[in-house]
Amino acid sequence: MFRKLLAGLLCLCLFCGCSASTTQTSKHEEKEKKTFTLPSAKIIDDIQERGYLIVGVKTDVPGLSDYDETTQTYSGIEIELAYKIAGLIFDCSAKEAESKGYVHFEPVTVANRETKLKNGDIDCLMATYTITASRKKKFALSESYYKDYIGLMVRKTETDNESLGSSGIQSLADLDGKIIGTAKHSTARKATLNYINNHASLSISPIFMEYDSYDELKEALVSGEIDAMCVDVSILEGYVDDSLTILNDRYAPQDYGAAVLPKNRALIEVINYAIEN
């Protein structure tokens, strides 16, 4: 009888302990959620007065920022982050920010994204924008929210659709004298040259051609105008098809960050909090 009573008391104590612990944890979580205070700044006031945050994003990078014309909706990591930022600005959840239209997305390309930011067409830029020392001199940049690598995509061999490459191209080492296509204003060309120069085993001298968009890059690859398309792997994955293949090369880590005008640096505080939480 005593043992049964003792066991019952023990279970009751454990239950109460768990309840107390759960309650304390919940209170702690609530406290953590309330620790962030919006910075007092004109850019924050302007966004709140306007009623929505304007974010420059790409429309063709599945997993990061992709636009579905059928449903007319955006999806991806950068899109979700934008809603979190708006939620902080308008004191609501990310889902509420989405449902209430607190974010307006402005399509950008590699060629025009910095111009749209400089002109004030967007509040912040989140478009696979690599964090570099030179870009930090032009804009205020957030912490990294995604890491990627430079990669290469080539045509498959016509006679062997299962081959790794085309015309003898199976890796970066096979691109001596070949034409590599990159996007204008991207870091791909410089990153590729740095990688080649720092690896003695890569005794190659490729030719580079720049294009205004990824669509143009792919068209140039398919038509044979270039031998390889060189951009971030996450971007390549959005363009690969049955006639093309992505090589195994991965180099030059790319940390993506959000960018705002230097005068709007206070917005970076909000963005960094959204990234970290």
Side-chain angles (χ1 to χ4, degrees), residues 11 16 36 38 51 143 149 165 218 221:
C11 289
C16 292
F36 181 73
L38 275 175
E143 298 296 327
Y149 296 83
K218 181 178 179 179
L221 178 60

Side-chain angles (χ1 to χ4, degrees), residues 83-215:
Y83 287 130
K84 285 183 68 176
I85 296 165
L88 291 169
I89 294 173
F90 292 98
D91 193 23
C92 65
S93 69
K95 287 186 177 180
E96 287 177 306
E98 179 178 4
S99 64
K100 293 182 178 180
Y102 287 154
V103 181
H104 285 198
F105 295 107
E106 175 69 20
V108 301
T109 65
V110 175
N112 69 18
R113 59 188 176 184
E114 288 191 351
T115 300
K116 288 200 173 189
L117 183 58
K118 288 177 181 177
N119 291 344
D121 297 330
I122 55 180
D123 297 315
C124 70
L125 176 68
M126 286 194 293
T128 63
Y129 194 65
T130 304
I131 300 171
T132 66
S134 61
R135 287 174 175 174
K136 285 182 177 180
K137 294 178 181 179
K138 295 186 289 185
F139 305 112
L141 302 182
S142 73
E143 298 296 327
S144 172
Y145 58 80
Y146 188 83
K147 182 183 287 292
D148 202 355
Y149 296 83
I150 298 292
L152 299 159
M153 185 163 70
V154 299
R155 297 180 302 280
K156 290 182 178 178
T157 304
E158 293 181 7
T159 56
D160 182 5
N161 201 43
E162 299 300 319
S163 66
L164 181 62
S166 63
S167 304
I169 301 174
Q170 296 190 29
S171 73
L172 179 60
D174 299 317
L175 289 172
D176 184 39
K178 302 291 185 180
I179 302 175
I180 298 176
T182 63
K184 284 183 180 178
H185 308 297
S186 75
T187 59
R189 180 180 181 277
K190 182 178 180 181
T192 301
L193 287 174
N194 286 342
Y195 184 73
I196 292 171
N197 293 333
N198 290 326
H199 288 75
S201 60
L202 290 173
S203 181
I204 61 172
S205 297
I207 301 164
F208 288 90
M209 290 183 66
E210 294 186 333
Y211 294 82
D212 288 325
S213 69
Y214 300 133
D215 286 335

Side-chain angles (χ1 to χ4, degrees), residues 37-53:
T37 302
L38 275 175
S40 177
K42 184 177 184 302
I43 181 60
I44 303 298
D45 294 338
D46 289 345
I47 294 169
Q48 290 178 330
E49 184 176 346
R50 182 199 304 139
Y52 54 86
L53 171 73

